[in-house]
Structure formats: C-alpha cells, structure tokens
Amino acid sequence: MSLEENIRKVRENIAAAAREVGRDPGEITLVAATKVQSDDTVRAAIAAGVTVCGENRVQEMTAHLDADAYAGAKLHFIGHLQTNKVNKVVGRVDLIESVGSEHLLEAIDKQAAKLGLVQDVLLEVNVGGEESKSGVAPEAVWALARKALELPNVRLRGLMAIPPVAGEEGNRGFFRKMRQLFVDIKRKMGDNEADMDCLSMGMSGDYMDAVREGATLVRVGTALFGARPPMRPKAE
Ligand SMILES: *Cc1c(COP(=O)(O)O)cnc(C)c1O
C-alpha cells in the first residue's frame, strides 16, 4: 500500500475506534513517528496530510530541520532527551513529549528562559514500571507536575506513555491506568487545568485500543511507513 493509503487507513481506524466509545474523532491527532525516514519521505507524509511529525533522535531531527523537511507540519520530540542536548530541541519543536525527570524539566526551563519562550511539554510515565524504560513512576507524576508549575518557561500539556510490549491481553489496562492518572493530575492543576489537553499513547500495534481508552495523540510509525530497517549505528 502507498503512504497515502496507509495514512487514510490509520485515520479511518482512529475514527472508528473513537466512535465505538462515543468520542469525536476530531479529538485525536495522528503523530507520524518518522524515525529513520528520509527528508523526502517526511515531505511526502506531510504532502499526504500528516499534520504532526514525531522524532526521537536529536541528530536525525536536526538534519530534517536543516533540510526544512517538516515544513507545513508541527514537530514533537518523542525520544529520550539528554540534558546536554536540550539546546538542540527547546524552541525548535512544538512539544517535547518525553520529559521524565526533574533534572530534564529544569534544563528545558533554563534553555527556554534563555530563548525567551515557553516550551510545551508532556511528562513521560513509566506506566509498566519497567527497569529498562525512562519516564517517571506513576506515583511520582504529581510531584513532577507540581515542579513544572513552578517553572515559568515550561507549560505542562499532559502525559505520555510507552507501555511494555503487549502480551495477549494487550495494553488496554495500561492505557486505562494512564487515562485515570491523566484525569487525576489535570484536576489537581487548578488554574492550569485547561492547559492539560494531551494524552499521548498508542503505537502501530495498539493505537485503536489507546483511542478507545482516551488517547488524544497516537504515535504511529510502522503502520504508515512500513517496517523499519534495523537501527543505524549512532554516527557521533
Ligand atoms: C518509533 C516510535 C513510535 C512508533 O512506533 P511504531 O510501532 O513503529 O508505530 C512511537 N513512539 C515512540 C516514542 C517511538 O520511538
């Protein structure tokens, strides 16, 4: 299938899953996970209607930015971000989805202050409690959200999660847990409650379940672009 057809199919699936649970499909944004794709593929995806690209490596993202490949779309950073690279990301993306520590939050705030802007962020939650994954533990999300409220140059927009590789039962339980956490944190945000409009969860294998459980952003790569080649070695 062509990229256009894949995008249409994924959009249809999102809309169908939304309607199943009485949601307006317009509440859900497809984020195209463009890692390892070429500048031309990124441009083709945007020409075919993709409105948001998600990148998870700083170096690839910088190359695409230099080539102006994201023109016409928004850009989210969805990967692991090291504090020493915040200067390459803050102010260059619309949303940093993957903030999992106070240390990183502070570094982002500092860089945003330097640039005189407010950076939108999501907190990444390690919802499966996996040793290997970054993200803040569910019990510690509120403390980190409170920290975000104290920092003038970051704006907390919601939560993001990458659940464990699903077994037979799928990830619905984790998605449901994320939804509850999201509602709970949002309620506690007081005057800033209205800023909390993003719940990012669901990838190629499970985005329909994520939509059924309340996702507003789904990050989809393989179902749009096909299987990725093995990760290229880091050229640094
Ligand atoms: C690659 C990636 C995705 C998309 O994964 P697919 O299974 O290819 O849809 C989603 N989120 C993050 C953080 C990713 O790195």
Side-chain angles (χ1 to χ4, degrees):
M1 281 216 286
S2 71
L3 180 54
E4 287 82 1
E5 284 168 328
N6 290 345
I7 293 170
R8 180 157 34 79
K9 187 73 204 154
V10 169
R11 285 242 163 84
E12 278 170 16
N13 288 340
I14 290 170
R19 286 196 203 97
E20 259 178 52
V21 294
R23 297 184 65 198
D24 172 2
E27 290 171 14
I28 300 123
T29 301
L30 170 63
V31 178
T34 47
K35 62 173 166 273
V36 315
Q37 306 302 332
S38 66
D39 289 335
D40 282 343
T41 302
V42 173
R43 290 191 190 103
I46 295 166
V50 159
T51 59
V52 185
C53 294
E55 279 300 342
N56 69 341
R57 276 203 192 166
V58 173
Q59 203 186 10
E60 269 182 56
M61 189 180 88
T62 304
H64 285 320
L65 280 168
D66 289 347
D68 205 21
Y70 303 115
K74 289 190 169 171
L75 179 57
H76 291 185
F77 189 79
I78 61 176
H80 181 66
L81 181 56
Q82 291 165 288
T83 45
N84 63 355
K85 291 193 179 156
V86 293
N87 62 338
K88 297 203 166 80
V89 176
V90 172
R92 303 192 83 182
V93 304
D94 297 283
L95 183 65
I96 302 176
E97 294 200 14
S98 41
V99 181
S101 72
E102 189 168 320
H103 188 52
L104 180 58
L105 200 55
E106 282 171 341
I108 291 169
D109 179 69
K110 198 169 155 199
Q111 178 65 16
K114 205 161 138 189
L115 298 175
L117 53 86
V118 175
Q119 178 67 58
D120 283 350
V121 301
L122 305 184
L123 301 182
E124 179 176 350
V125 182
N126 186 355
V127 69
E130 293 169 286
E131 200 78 48
S132 62
K133 285 224 177 108
S134 44
V136 58
E139 314 76 62
V141 173
W142 174 233
L144 195 55
R146 251 187 348 228
K147 182 76 203 176
L149 284 177
E150 285 170 18
L151 300 173
N153 294 84
V154 294
R155 176 166 48 225
L156 184 58
R157 296 284 304 275
L159 306 179
M160 178 269 223
I162 308 172
V165 174
E168 285 207 349
E169 71 294 353
N171 272 325
R172 267 188 102 151
F174 287 118
F175 293 149
R176 198 168 303 141
K177 186 171 171 179
M178 281 302 298
R179 162 80 184 170
Q180 279 159 5
L181 192 58
F182 176 67
V183 169
D184 177 44
I185 300 290
K186 187 176 159 101
R187 210 191 49 233
K188 289 177 175 164
M189 292 286 284
D191 290 346
N192 299 84
E193 190 179 326
D195 290 343
M196 292 280 287
D197 57 357
C198 298
L199 179 56
S200 176
M201 56 188 192
M203 316 203 310
S204 289
D206 53 18
Y207 65 90
M208 290 181 76
D209 272 347
V211 168
R212 291 182 185 108
E213 295 297 342
T216 70
L217 298 170
V218 292
R219 308 175 310 268
V220 179
T222 310
L224 300 179
F225 301 107
R228 283 180 294 273
M231 278 295 206
R232 276 181 278 142
K234 265 197 159 179
E236 271 167 313

